[in-house]
Structures are given as structure tokens and as C-alpha cells.
Amino acid sequence: MAEADNQEPRSGKRKYRKDKPWDHDGIDHWKIEAYTEEEGQKNPLIDESSFSTLFPRYREQYLRQWWPEVTRVLKSHHIDCELNLIEGSMTVKTTRKTWDPYAIINARDLIKLLARSVPFQQAEKIMQDDVNCDVIKIGNIVSNKERFVKRRQRLLGPNGATLKAIELLTDCYILVQGSTVCAMGSYKGLKQARRVVLDCMNNVHPVYNIKAMMIKRELAANDELKEESWDRFLPKFKKKNVKKKKKPIEKKEYTPFPPAQQQSKVDLQIESGEFFLRPNEKKRLEEEKRKAESAVKSAEKQAKRQDSFVPPKEKGDRKKRHKADNQGSAAHADVDVQAVKKKLKKRKRASEGTGSASDYLLS
């Protein structure tokens, strides 16, 4: 009675609720309990379940090489597997010893990842309980092939840097192959990875999502801001569509009358008088026309050949070259005049006989 009196009075819908001794604050309701073999033996599987998937021809050699390892991994979970090289398919199915009902789903995901070029060392991790996978189809998002290739390359980034950044932020393994993107990780990481991939194919650059995820990671580590809204911290990017200038359309004046009918070939021949000529005259005119056209073409070819014999123009200013030529000619003329004067003086002195000794020495 004393304990009942000490309890706080309840109101509303909690008035008649009883305390649950097995439920307390220390219990994590989101924790996934491990499914043990003992629990599985109590509730065995009733019927056989099987899944099959096709694989491309270029994966045949790789699957042949690694199929013994695939068999070993699946055998540990009591699941049979079959590789059919004629049909190009892989099949997994349960056995009587299979105790985990979800193991066949993981086996289905395993062969699906192997068909999409995921390495076996990575694909075998899907058999763990805390690892999930998602195959994102991107082939039908963009209709233009060139645009699709550019956006898929944008997802990879230079030397795979963008894809590596997405993997680090989402804690997922991501492989871009053909028209699909395979991702492996936790449910939360797969959700983020899918959003980034689809936004990228819808012309939103992955850098924007990467920046937002980095800010969210920093805010989640802060105890004060953990429970608050993060909208004021996240960047808001505006779409900028570069509009092309449209050519102005010239509006024609409206006329109720239709345009004049174009003349036919026969009408044009009647106008020129060619229609009434005799066959031999027509043939002669055609030959003359052909000869005139060939003469024009041969003249053009001859002119092109003669262009190679034309000397190239000298570089430099025409006025400077003309000035230098004038100076050179003037200097040459001055030298000649002085020499002539000297000779005339020597001859004059020699004839008179009054020359000095220095005149007869060589300078």
C-alpha cells in the first residue's frame, strides 16, 4: 500500500497502464538481435526457395575462376548454388539444413552483385547481417547518350576522387558499371548514396551533396546542436540555367494570295528557246557549255600553280627600307666623287711638275 501511495498520479491515456518490468530505459529498442542457429532449428523452413539471375558473357571467365569460393561461402550457410554457362545464369536455393530464412535473400544479392562486376572479395560481405546492398538503375534517366556519359563521368570525378569522397562520407562501397551503380553498406549510407547518384544524373553536381554531408557530419558530432534543426547551417544553392539567345524571327507580311508557282524545267527551256532546238543543236550547245566550264576550271588551277612561283613579300617597313637604300646610294656616290677629284689633282701636278714628295707616297 505504501508503494502505491508513493507513485505519482497518472492522467489521460496512461491512467490504467501497468508497469512493464522487462522494459526500462537501458534497453535499446532499435538494436537488431542476432538470429542464432538454435532459434532457427525450432522453426525450420517448410519449402524450397530459389533465385536465379543472368550474367553478361564477359563475366564468364571471372565467375568460372571464383565459383569454388562462392560455393564454399554459400555452403557455410547451407545454401546450394549452380552456375549454368550454357544459359549464362546463376542460381541459388535453400536446402533442408538451411536454418536462417534471410540467408537466401543475401545469397540472391550476392549473385546479383557478381553479375554487376563487383569483385568476389567485396561481394561476399553481403552475407553479413549488418551489410546491405542497393543496385541503382541510371540508364533510363537521361535519354541523350553523350549527356549520360558526361554525367556518369562527373559521378566518378578526376581519377575517381569524387566517388572516393562519397564512399568515405556514406561508409559504403560504390561501383559504377554500365547503366547501374552498385552500393554496399548500411541502410542509412545506402539512402545517402542513392540520393547523390540520382541527383548527379538529374544534373546536380555531386560536390553540392558532398559539401552538405560534410556539414551534417560535423553538426552530428556537436552535442549542443545534435537535437536542433540544421537548415540554417546547410548551404542553399540556386539553380542557374544559362539561357541561349534566341534568334529573332522575322515576321513576314500577311498576304491572302498564295506564292507564285515555281517554273518547271520545261518552262525554263521554253523561255530560253532551248526547247525548240533540234537534238544535234542541243548536243552542240551542251558541249560548248561543258568546254566553257572546263576552261574556267583549268584557268583557276593554272592560277593556283602560278601562286607558288610568286616571291614572298619582304618583312619590315617599306619606308625604312627605301630610306636605307637612299642613304647607301648617296654614300656610294660621295666616295666615288672624292676618288675622282684626287686623281684629277695628281694628274694636274704631274703635268705641271710642281708636285711634292708626299704626293708620290702611298697613303
Side-chain angles (χ1 to χ4, degrees):
M1 291 293 290
E3 291 179 1
D5 294 337
N6 293 334
Q7 288 180 355
E8 294 180 1
R10 297 177 180 179
S11 60
K13 60 183 181 181
R14 296 180 59 86
K15 186 175 181 180
Y16 299 103
R17 286 191 180 179
K18 295 180 179 180
D19 292 329
K20 302 179 181 70
W22 62 87
D23 192 6
H24 54 83
D25 295 336
I27 294 175
D28 186 6
H29 295 282
W30 292 98
K31 185 181 178 182
I32 299 172
E33 297 292 339
Y35 191 74
T36 60
E37 189 173 355
E38 295 176 359
E39 294 177 8
Q41 294 296 344
K42 294 176 183 177
N43 302 307
L45 302 179
I46 298 171
D47 200 358
E48 180 187 281
S49 299
S50 64
F51 292 98
S52 182
T53 185
L54 300 174
F55 61 86
R57 184 174 290 178
Y58 62 84
R59 292 290 290 172
E60 182 178 330
Q61 187 177 357
Y62 183 86
L63 292 172
R64 267 185 180 180
Q65 182 182 353
W66 287 95
W67 196 250
E69 295 295 322
V70 176
T71 308
R72 179 185 58 79
V73 171
L74 294 177
K75 197 173 182 181
S76 63
H77 295 271
H78 304 290
I79 292 176
D80 283 345
C81 58
E82 181 186 349
L83 178 65
N84 192 335
L85 297 175
I86 297 170
E87 294 180 358
S89 64
M90 293 179 284
T91 308
V92 290
K93 54 188 175 182
T94 57
T95 61
R96 290 186 177 182
K97 293 182 180 179
T98 307
W99 54 269
D100 187 1
Y102 201 76
I104 187 64
I105 304 297
N106 289 334
R108 178 203 64 182
D109 293 339
L110 173 63
I111 59 174
K112 192 191 296 183
L113 293 170
L114 288 172
R116 296 311 309 154
S117 299
V118 177
F120 171 73
Q121 294 88 338
Q122 182 66 35
E124 67 173 338
K125 295 178 184 177
I126 198 66
M127 301 304 292
Q128 301 172 10
D129 289 337
D130 57 341
V131 180
N132 307 284
C133 76
D134 188 10
V135 179
I136 307 160
K137 295 181 181 179
I138 58 174
N140 57 352
I141 297 174
V142 184
S143 57
N144 191 347
K145 190 177 180 181
E146 292 180 3
R147 197 176 297 162
F148 168 75
V149 172
K150 284 182 181 178
R151 292 185 185 177
R152 187 179 61 181
Q153 184 60 35
R154 191 185 296 167
L155 182 64
L156 294 170
N159 299 323
T162 306
L163 191 67
K164 189 68 179 175
I166 297 169
E167 286 181 348
L168 291 171
L169 289 168
T170 57
D171 294 328
C172 291
Y173 170 82
I174 302 172
L175 177 72
V176 181
Q177 173 69 20
S179 61
T180 58
V181 178
C182 299
M184 289 177 63
S186 62
Y187 283 116
K188 185 180 178 183
L190 292 175
K191 188 178 178 182
Q192 291 175 338
R194 173 174 274 273
R195 185 170 63 248
V196 173
V197 170
L198 293 179
D199 284 351
C200 180
M201 298 310 294
N202 288 320
N203 203 20
V204 178
H205 203 281
V207 171
Y208 300 135
N209 284 313
I210 288 169
K211 193 171 183 181
M213 283 192 289
M214 288 172 70
I215 294 169
K216 285 179 182 178
R217 177 173 282 195
E218 291 178 4
L219 292 170
N222 193 340
D223 296 332
E224 295 178 0
L225 301 170
K226 191 181 287 186
E227 304 298 332
E228 293 184 14
S229 177
W230 295 343
D231 292 338
R232 56 197 173 106
F233 299 107
L234 297 175
K236 295 177 182 178
F237 301 105
K238 293 182 180 178
K239 269 194 174 182
K240 292 182 180 179
N241 292 331
V242 181
K243 294 182 179 179
K244 294 181 180 178
K245 290 183 179 179
K246 292 183 179 179
K247 293 181 180 179
I249 300 169
E250 295 180 1
K251 291 185 178 180
K252 297 180 180 179
E253 292 182 3
Y254 173 74
T255 54
F257 305 104
Q261 187 178 2
Q262 291 184 350
Q263 290 182 334
S264 65
K265 190 176 180 181
V266 177
D267 294 337
L268 293 172
Q269 286 179 351
I270 291 170
E271 279 188 5
S272 62
E274 188 180 350
F275 183 78
F276 304 103
L277 294 175
R278 293 177 184 176
N280 56 352
E281 291 178 350
K282 285 183 181 180
K283 192 175 182 181
R284 182 174 55 78
L285 284 173
E286 286 177 1
E287 286 181 0
E288 288 178 359
K289 191 176 180 181
R290 198 182 302 114
K291 285 180 181 178
E293 288 176 357
S294 63
V296 171
K297 286 182 180 179
S298 61
E300 288 177 358
K301 287 181 180 179
Q302 191 68 23
K304 283 183 180 178
R305 289 196 199 100
Q306 293 295 331
D307 288 344
S308 59
F309 298 105
V310 176
K313 293 182 179 180
E314 295 181 4
K315 294 181 181 179
D317 195 3
R318 188 183 294 175
K319 291 182 179 178
K320 289 182 181 179
R321 285 204 314 273
H322 185 66
K323 189 176 180 181
D325 292 343
N326 290 341
Q327 287 177 356
S329 61
H332 186 64
D334 291 344
V335 170
D336 291 341
V337 169
Q338 289 175 4
V340 170
K341 283 181 179 180
K342 264 189 178 183
K343 285 181 181 180
L344 288 171
K345 282 181 181 180
K346 284 182 180 181
R347 285 179 184 176
K348 193 175 180 181
R349 288 173 184 172
S351 61
E352 291 177 356
T354 58
S356 60
S358 62
D359 295 333
Y360 297 97
L361 296 175
L362 291 171
S363 58

